[in-house]
Amino acid sequence: MIAYFVMECAAEPYIPTYSGGLGVLAGDTLQSLADLKVPSVGVSILWRKGYTSQHLTSHGIQTDFPQTWDPKKYLKPLDVKIKIRIEDKDIYLTAWKYDMMGISGHVVPVIFLDTYLKENIPEVRNLFDRLYVSQGKERMVQEIIFGIGGYEILKALNYNIMVYHINESHSAFLTIGLLKDLKDIEKVKNRVVFVTHTPVAAAFDEFPVEDVKQALKDYIDGLDMSPIIDHSDRFNLSWVSLKASRVVAAVSRKHKYISENIFEGEKLEYVTNGVHHIRWVSPHHKKLYTDQIRGWEEDPSLLRLVVNISDKDFVEAHQKAKEDLIDLVNSQTNASFSDKIFTIGIARRMTQYKRNKMILKDLDRLIHIAEPFDGIQIVYSGKAHPMDGVGKAIIKEIFDAKDYVSSKTNKVKIAFVENYDMSKAKVIVSGADIWLNTPQRPLEASGTSGMKAALNGVPNFSVLDGWWIEGCMENINGWSIGKKTSWEDVSTEPEWETDDIYDLYNRLQYIILPTYYYSFGKYVNVMKMAVATVGTYFNSNRMVMEYITKLYLGNTLAE
Ligand SMILES: *Cc1c(COP(=O)(O)O)cnc(C)c1O
């Protein structure tokens, strides 16, 4: 069996234990493991108050609220309880189970760890309150419980695990449990694979080695941890995961080069991310594909046959998805969008490197571009991390731009839909006419929202970074923005590259808007090719099959 460890997991839209791409990807991965009947189990954490519920004032000030939810409604409590001694305290741990059901009935259980037990003192009971809020020692204790507690719970539940998949390094402490049981680092390595998701070394979690040893002194009981710790006095979860695994993979080809530069001297594999095709199509596209491309659920590569669907049927599905988006925007904002106007979607976490306000950098130019056409609508959505002042300021600036534009013209309209989540993501990615993504190179390890858009026939218009370097077929399935760098170029560009901004405006003005408004048939071809070339490859079924061949199989054969 494969054990897939991930700190945030969007098993389904109503379980709010995720913040963004990593958690959504985890849900998609587990769904594909279930569909492909891969013997596997997921391990994650039951965040009692989710991540953050975003409320915005009319001026774009974000306030944060806990996401309260009732685990009993979605998860089954498991009859299991273990005890780990951390920092001279006995910590009791239990777990809940979510059944991820595959298309032909195969179930992948997802184990959610939980310390909310009366045996625990209040600070331990409430340790897994909100995702990504704790820092320092508290974060260390969370991650110790996730890695070691998850490892021990799987043992207590009698799972026979062949491969431990550390998906992002938060669960690295599980390697200590393995080292304690197997006593030999080579044996540990044959059991572990590591997929890294971060392109910035400064973002890796790390703690003083002394703190780790102190916290775990009863558990490790004299165990020599030197095989998994490098020479420094830091216990760096990414380095530990790397040293304890047989193979390490990045999440796109570009990210492999970035990561080899970070983990100097190491060779990495890469498995480019994918999204779950059934989870991410609108109800209208689901019906269209089911009617006209039989078998696409089992085999998403059949989506290439989208080119045989008539333009009329294809455009009709898109128009219905677009109406759903316009309804969402008009019911939640006062932007009064129309379903006849070219609509740009921009939705993801509001954090600096995503540069979500690039298209707003020169508002007079944007207004000038829209003038000869029927207009441009831009729909935004996304949360800033509760403690990220820069992210919150970005939302405020988007609101300011919205007000400026509405005072000057009605040819450009901007709307911000609050409290982005999976359900809203599905409406926005499927209902927009184009998907805009302008991250600062090379900080987008992969990105996945553009893959969701493409599955619904929404072309990408994006900076060449992450997955889009592999996916972009210029003028055929979408459009690029700015320069193309070589795989080996790992330098970080300045936050605002004026070339990118000019290129964005020029392509919008001279290529994209004229095609949409004056040669719609050509635009529809690009939409279909987005499904045929992106949907068929950048899906999580293909990704999981690559995990099996590039990552898991080597470990099981090495046994
Ligand atoms: C897909 C998704 C993301 C990831 O978006 P990127 O643009 O790839 O960063 C984030 N949040 C939600 C809710 C998503 O569905």
Side-chain angles (χ1 to χ4, degrees), residues 372-416:
F373 301 99
D374 286 349
I376 298 174
Q377 299 174 151
I378 305 174
V379 53
Y380 272 101
S381 196
K383 296 172 182 173
H385 184 284
M387 289 175 309
D388 178 9
V390 174
K392 291 186 174 181
I394 292 168
I395 298 176
K396 174 86 178 68
E397 288 168 51
I398 294 169
F399 270 70
D400 292 346
K402 170 170 76 78
D403 293 343
Y404 177 84
V405 164
S406 69
S407 74
K408 296 266 166 185
T409 179
N410 51 25
K411 281 280 175 84
V412 179
K413 288 183 175 170
I414 301 171
F416 199 112

Side-chain angles (χ1 to χ4, degrees), residues 18 20-21 24 280 347-348 354 420-422 425 447-449 452:
Y18 65 94
V24 173
W280 285 108
R348 53 185 59 83
K354 296 281 196 184
Y420 191 51
D421 64 7
M422 272 176 86
T448 50
S449 61
K452 301 169 191 167

Side-chain angles (χ1 to χ4, degrees), residues 232-482:
S232 76
D233 55 357
R234 311 296 289 176
F235 192 95
N236 180 303
L237 297 196
S238 294
W239 276 100
V240 167
S241 302
L242 181 137
K243 287 176 90 73
S245 52
R246 191 189 56 83
V247 54
V248 183
V251 291
S252 70
R253 183 173 168 89
K254 182 76 190 186
H255 183 227
K256 165 192 148 77
Y257 285 91
I258 306 298
S259 301
E260 286 178 348
N261 184 55
I262 295 173
F263 300 114
E264 254 182 270
E266 303 291 332
K267 277 276 163 231
L268 273 72
E269 295 284 338
Y270 70 94
V271 177
T272 305
N273 283 164
V275 298
H276 194 269
H277 53 295
I278 308 172
R279 273 168 50 116
W280 285 108
V281 290
S282 79
H284 316 292
H285 291 86
K286 189 179 277 181
K287 179 166 187 322
L288 177 73
Y289 299 156
T290 303
D291 287 349
Q292 304 209 25
I293 309 179
R294 265 194 61 204
W296 74 283
E297 293 100 330
E298 296 88 61
D299 180 1
S301 74
L302 290 175
L303 287 170
R304 68 174 80 85
L305 303 177
V306 72
V307 296
N308 299 333
I309 296 177
S310 73
D311 282 8
K312 179 174 164 296
D313 291 353
F314 184 80
V315 170
E316 197 177 290
H318 173 69
Q319 193 57 28
K320 285 183 178 156
K322 186 168 176 179
E323 282 161 21
D324 290 349
L325 169 60
I326 303 303
D327 287 348
L328 175 74
V329 169
N330 291 348
S331 68
Q332 307 223 335
T333 74
N334 56 7
S336 2
F337 273 21
S338 148
D339 64 5
K340 305 210 166 39
I341 304 297
F342 180 72
T343 302
I344 301 174
I346 306 173
R348 53 185 59 83
R349 288 179 302 120
M350 291 291 157
T351 182
Q352 189 166 19
Y353 87 85
K354 296 281 196 184
R355 300 192 300 188
N356 286 328
K357 56 182 207 257
M358 185 184 284
I359 193 174
L360 309 177
K361 274 277 160 183
D362 185 344
L363 293 172
D364 294 325
R365 169 97 197 256
L366 185 63
I367 292 167
H368 172 75
I369 290 172
E371 216 42 64
F373 301 99
D374 286 349
I376 298 174
Q377 299 174 151
I378 305 174
V379 53
Y380 272 101
S381 196
K383 296 172 182 173
H385 184 284
M387 289 175 309
D388 178 9
V390 174
K392 291 186 174 181
I394 292 168
I395 298 176
K396 174 86 178 68
E397 288 168 51
I398 294 169
F399 270 70
D400 292 346
K402 170 170 76 78
D403 293 343
Y404 177 84
V405 164
S406 69
S407 74
K408 296 266 166 185
T409 179
N410 51 25
K411 281 280 175 84
V412 179
K413 288 183 175 170
I414 301 171
F416 199 112
V417 175
E418 76 176 358
N419 206 25
Y420 191 51
D421 64 7
M422 272 176 86
S423 312
K424 287 178 180 157
K426 191 154 152 174
V427 177
I428 304 173
V429 296
S430 61
D433 293 309
I434 204 160
W435 194 250
L436 183 63
N437 188 19
T438 50
Q440 183 181 4
R441 297 179 196 79
L443 303 182
E444 184 87 310
S446 165
T448 50
S449 61
M451 304 171 185
K452 301 169 191 167
L455 267 172
N456 292 282
V458 175
N460 279 265
F461 178 31
S462 294
V463 160
L464 289 169
D465 199 18
W467 78 277
W468 188 233
I469 308 176
E470 295 161 51
C472 177
M473 298 160 76
E474 194 69 45
N475 277 315
I476 292 178
N477 66 3
W479 296 274
S480 65
I481 296 168

